[in-house]
Amino acid sequence: MSLNFSVEFPTDSQNVQLLSWLVGLILTNAFGTVANTVLLLVMFVHKSLRRSSSCSLIVHCITIDLYLAAVVQPIFSIPIYLGPLHRLPRYFCQFQPLSVYSVYTAGMYASSNLAIHRLFATVWPQKFTVLTGKPVLVGLIVSPWILALGVNIFPTLELGIAMGRNPDSGACQFVETRLGQYPLLISTLFAVYIPTAVTGVCYLLIMAKTYGEVREKKGRYVQRRLEISRTLFLSFVWHCLTMYPPSVVMAFYADDYAGHFALQLGMHWLIMSFSAMNPVFFWASSKLFQDGIRKVLLCKWRTHESSVTAV
């Protein structure tokens, strides 16, 4: 994923804004660390979620969000606060595609694999058992990391694209080489746009099919499947809202963006807040997760639960 920033080196009057942004970002990701940890406990504690056929894939996605909130985002913000005049070792940026951006890419493909898995459960339930075996689930968890490494090894080795410091903000970003912009466009296509498109199409099909079954009153089983799918779909929408509006602003309103320091910091925060704020959507949109969070926070982990398994 390409996060190209153009924050100018702050003047004295902007230092307070920059410090406030850093504190806000750290607090946001501290909240995200705690919230994602609670979500992980919910997946293991709440029986209805633990027995879901997609449990391991959801846990995988939450684990990636936890790592992003707890490790990646705070580290990524430090060079921005230090500014472009603070010297960093050359390898600091060179290896960020593997240490930082590969986690974003793996998260994108992990979400798309989860969406594909739930699509099969919804549309072809008779054959879905093929996708519930341990080898298949392990493959769905490992494959995003293989794809992420495949995409991000090229900028790490400076093949076609490279990683360098932004002269204005000090952040590490993808830069063009003598091959021009096409390698960067291809990298972004495979790292961002393809998994986003696959995830979006899958959830649209899932929601259409499941809502139709709900109208036919096919039972509580379908209601729970709809509830989890709706939560994951809202998470996907939130992801799009954190990623694409900043890209549109930077692409089509570049002059206004470059001249508005507060807007730049706001776009930074939006892009870097997805993993931290994502648990809010799980809590707000799903009674299953609400019940699970309540059990975790109140340490009521052994109470009786419904025998209906969420899919």
Side-chain angles (χ1 to χ4, degrees):
M1 181 173 62
S2 177
L3 300 178
N4 293 327
F5 300 120
S6 57
V7 178
E8 297 179 356
F9 186 68
T11 63
D12 292 339
S13 62
Q14 295 170 332
N15 279 332
V16 174
Q17 286 182 308
L18 187 58
L19 178 60
S20 300
W21 169 81
L22 180 64
V23 172
L25 186 66
I26 292 175
L27 291 176
T28 298
N29 284 285
F31 165 80
T33 300
V34 175
N36 280 294
T37 300
V38 171
L39 275 188
L40 278 180
L41 290 174
V42 168
M43 292 302 302
F44 289 111
V45 168
H46 197 30
K47 185 183 297 184
S48 295
L49 292 169
R50 187 174 68 247
R51 289 182 175 179
S52 168
S53 56
S54 300
C55 176
S56 59
L57 301 182
I58 297 175
V59 166
H60 183 217
C61 291
I62 296 173
T63 302
I64 292 175
D65 283 346
L66 175 60
Y67 180 76
L68 286 171
V71 179
V72 173
Q73 305 292 23
I75 292 176
F76 193 84
S77 67
I78 292 174
I80 301 174
Y81 179 73
L82 293 176
L85 298 183
H86 187 90
R87 298 188 63 182
L88 294 173
R90 183 179 179 275
Y91 61 81
F92 183 86
C93 286
Q94 181 182 356
F95 289 97
Q96 276 211 10
L98 288 181
S99 62
V100 174
Y101 287 90
S102 61
V103 183
Y104 286 106
T105 307
M108 298 287 291
Y109 279 101
S111 296
S112 68
N113 281 356
L114 173 58
I116 292 170
H117 191 259
R118 297 196 65 78
L119 179 63
F120 271 87
T122 302
V123 179
W124 296 285
Q126 300 84 0
K127 300 181 180 180
F128 178 63
T129 53
V130 177
L131 296 180
T132 59
K134 185 176 180 179
V136 175
L137 293 175
V138 170
L140 290 173
I141 291 173
V142 173
S143 59
W145 295 98
I146 296 175
L147 291 168
L149 292 176
V151 170
N152 288 283
I153 193 65
F154 292 96
T156 302
L157 299 178
E158 299 184 350
L159 299 175
I161 55 177
M163 204 75 171
R165 292 196 75 185
N166 186 299
D168 296 320
S169 70
C172 298
Q173 67 175 38
F174 291 115
V175 295
E176 298 178 7
T177 62
R178 57 185 178 81
L179 297 179
Q181 64 178 348
Y182 293 106
L184 178 57
L185 293 176
I186 293 173
S187 176
T188 305
L189 175 67
F190 282 96
V192 178
Y193 298 127
I194 289 178
T196 298
V198 170
T199 305
V201 170
C202 286
Y203 280 127
L204 288 176
L205 294 174
I206 290 170
M207 299 302 289
K209 178 76 162 54
T210 308
Y211 270 118
E213 293 179 349
V214 168
R215 285 197 298 269
E216 296 174 7
K217 299 180 180 179
K218 289 192 174 182
R220 192 176 177 187
Y221 174 86
V222 176
Q223 289 281 0
R224 289 204 168 187
R225 189 177 71 199
L226 172 63
E227 185 177 324
I228 294 180
S229 296
R230 182 181 60 215
T231 297
L232 296 174
F233 176 71
L234 289 175
S235 172
F236 165 73
V237 171
W238 167 241
H239 180 266
C240 292
L241 289 176
T242 59
M243 177 180 297
Y244 292 106
S247 300
V248 170
V249 170
M250 286 184 274
F252 295 100
Y253 303 96
D255 292 339
D256 294 334
Y257 176 79
H260 202 298
F261 189 70
L263 176 63
Q264 295 167 15
L265 294 179
M267 293 296 99
H268 275 281
W269 180 87
L270 187 60
I271 292 174
M272 300 170 76
S273 67
F274 164 74
S275 57
M277 302 304 296
N278 196 37
V280 174
F281 293 87
F282 283 77
W283 173 81
S285 63
S286 172
K287 189 176 185 302
L288 281 172
F289 280 97
Q290 291 169 7
D291 292 342
I293 291 171
R294 188 179 301 112
K295 291 178 186 296
V296 169
L297 296 180
L298 298 178
C299 298
K300 296 180 178 180
W301 296 358
R302 296 175 179 266
T303 56
H304 174 73
E305 299 181 36
S306 170
S307 61
V308 179
T309 301
V311 176

